[in-house]
Amino acid sequence: MTIHRSGNLGQTSLRGKRRARNSMQTYDTLPPVLRAWLCQAALPWSPSSARKIWQRAQAKGLSADDTLALLQRSERQTLARDEHALFFSDKICQKTMS
């Protein structure tokens, strides 16, 4: 089942969540390297989710690069669950291979 969203979120089969906090205010408090990663991310991450992963990784002693790699793996796993993304990635692969 594909969910049609308004705005810049596109189409996805993933469930959305409502946030009670001010996302822009939270975004402004993120480390610059994490904000830069969020700007190029394939998914519309919430600043709260990204910060939570960042803080956990930093508490475990991971470097900034290792933490960004962890975020990328998490994003790939989420995209793998998204039926819409899988459908279009298959179509793109078929076009490039033919």
Side-chain angles (χ1 to χ4, degrees), residues 38-52:
L38 286 172
C39 287
Q40 60 80 37
L43 293 172
W45 285 77
S46 74
S48 299
S49 297
R51 181 181 58 200
K52 192 182 305 183

Side-chain angles (χ1 to χ4, degrees), residues 88-98:
F88 281 103
S89 66
D90 286 346
K91 290 288 185 191
I92 291 169
C93 288
Q94 289 173 359
K95 285 182 182 179
T96 57
M97 296 179 119
S98 36

Side-chain angles (χ1 to χ4, degrees), residues 69-87:
L70 177 68
L71 283 162
Q72 288 174 336
R73 281 193 306 274
S74 179
E75 184 172 58
R76 279 195 305 267
Q77 289 171 349
T78 303
L79 283 170
R81 290 192 328 255
D82 186 355
E83 297 165 4
H84 186 76
L86 289 173
F87 174 77

Side-chain angles (χ1 to χ4, degrees), residues 3 5 8-9 11 14 17-18 28 32-34 39 42-43 52 61 66-67 73 77-78 84 98:
I3 300 169
R5 300 189 187 271
N8 66 345
L9 298 179
Q11 293 180 343
L14 301 172
K17 297 180 183 176
R18 292 212 178 265
D28 290 341
V33 68
L34 181 54
C39 287
L43 293 172
K52 192 182 305 183
D66 290 339
T67 304
R73 281 193 306 274
Q77 289 171 349
T78 303
H84 186 76
S98 36

Side-chain angles (χ1 to χ4, degrees), residues 4-40:
H4 298 278
R5 300 189 187 271
S6 61
N8 66 345
L9 298 179
Q11 293 180 343
T12 181
S13 62
L14 301 172
R15 197 183 77 200
K17 297 180 183 176
R18 292 212 178 265
R19 304 281 180 209
R21 297 186 186 120
N22 182 338
S23 292
M24 288 308 294
Q25 214 170 25
T26 304
Y27 179 85
D28 290 341
T29 64
L30 297 176
V33 68
L34 181 54
R35 284 185 287 173
W37 184 85
L38 286 172
C39 287
Q40 60 80 37

